[in-house]
Amino acid sequence: MKTSRVSIAAAIAAGSVLVLSGPAFAHVGVQPAGEAAKGGYATINFKVPNERDNASTTQLEVSFPVDQPLSSVMPQDVPGWTVTVEKSKLDKPLTVHGKQINEAVTKVTWSGGKIEPGKFQQFPLSVGKLPENADQMVFKSIQTYDNGEVVRWIEEAKEGAAEPQNPAPVLKLSAPKGDDHHDSGAKADEPKNTDKDAEHGHDKAAAEHGSDTTARVLGIAGIVVGLGGVAFGIASRRRSA
């Protein structure tokens, strides 16, 4: 009796772990298909798993943060799905490449397709210009199933707290590299090259070439001397014989 009670308790505990870990493991997320650098452009993917065994996902709505407007949002075609891009006017226009932008994308919706149980779908977007003064972007999303169920992935994680039940997708932004801003690493007032530097480089190359030639000559001479020694030794042995 005691053994069976222990077995039942273990089974319940294992089931509880699976139930609790399910939502955290399979939720709507966003991932870069490369690097998402601050102030740059990137291709991102919204990964949508189907969490239900008896229903299929038929729609995904992704809201863009209004306090981090993007001047460019271009969806990639996903076979079987229709994409709708909604824009809103900005309270404060953006200036990108000398051009003033008065509106930005606030929502992207994919519909008409189907993500069956046990499968997932990725929805790619090309976005930019990413914020320069932020470490992340939060995209609150709504997942709809064909049985009418709606799951709102809109909860923002708090520092030091456990992951929420329905976390919103978060895109991490990395520090830009030098090449991202066309920075070669040289200072503006630092000369890239001078005639003196070129002359010095030429002299150095000539010296290295001369040293290399000398080394080759000495090496050949050593080989000749060595062969002569071998020949002398063979001749001496023959005389002795």
Side-chain angles (χ1 to χ4, degrees), residues 21-31 46-51 60 120-121 141 143 145 151-153 163-170:
S21 62
F25 175 75
H27 57 255
V28 175
V30 58
Q31 301 171 340
F46 285 92
K47 184 178 179 180
V48 184
N50 186 26
E51 296 184 302
L60 175 70
F120 75 93
Q121 178 66 55
S141 305
Q143 182 178 12
Y145 291 86
V151 181
R152 301 177 182 275
W153 303 97
E163 184 181 37
Q165 187 71 16
N166 295 320
V170 176

Side-chain angles (χ1 to χ4, degrees), residues 193-207:
N193 196 4
T194 62
D195 294 338
K196 186 176 181 180
D197 292 335
E199 182 180 355
H200 174 71
H202 178 74
D203 293 343
K204 183 179 179 181

Side-chain angles (χ1 to χ4, degrees), residues 108-186:
V108 177
T109 303
W110 289 269
S111 60
K114 181 178 291 187
I115 307 175
E116 299 176 349
K119 297 182 179 181
F120 75 93
Q121 178 66 55
Q122 295 192 75
F123 299 98
L125 290 174
S126 175
V127 299
K129 185 178 178 182
L130 296 173
E132 297 181 350
N133 56 352
D135 295 324
Q136 65 179 29
M137 295 184 72
V138 179
F139 298 91
K140 296 184 178 181
S141 305
I142 299 177
Q143 182 178 12
T144 302
Y145 291 86
D146 58 7
N147 63 357
E149 181 183 3
V150 175
V151 181
R152 301 177 182 275
W153 303 97
I154 61 174
E155 300 177 32
E156 297 188 40
K158 296 181 180 179
E159 187 176 355
E163 184 181 37
Q165 187 71 16
N166 295 320
V170 176
L171 176 66
K172 299 293 184 181
L173 303 178
S174 61
K177 296 180 180 179
D179 293 342
D180 294 336
H181 287 130
H182 307 288
D183 179 13
S184 62

Side-chain angles (χ1 to χ4, degrees), residues 189-223:
D189 56 349
E190 182 180 348
K192 295 182 180 180
N193 196 4
T194 62
D195 294 338
K196 186 176 181 180
D197 292 335
E199 182 180 355
H200 174 71
H202 178 74
D203 293 343
K204 183 179 179 181
E208 291 177 351
H209 179 71
S211 299
D212 184 60
T213 302
T214 302
R216 289 182 181 178
V217 172
L218 292 175
I220 293 172
I223 293 173

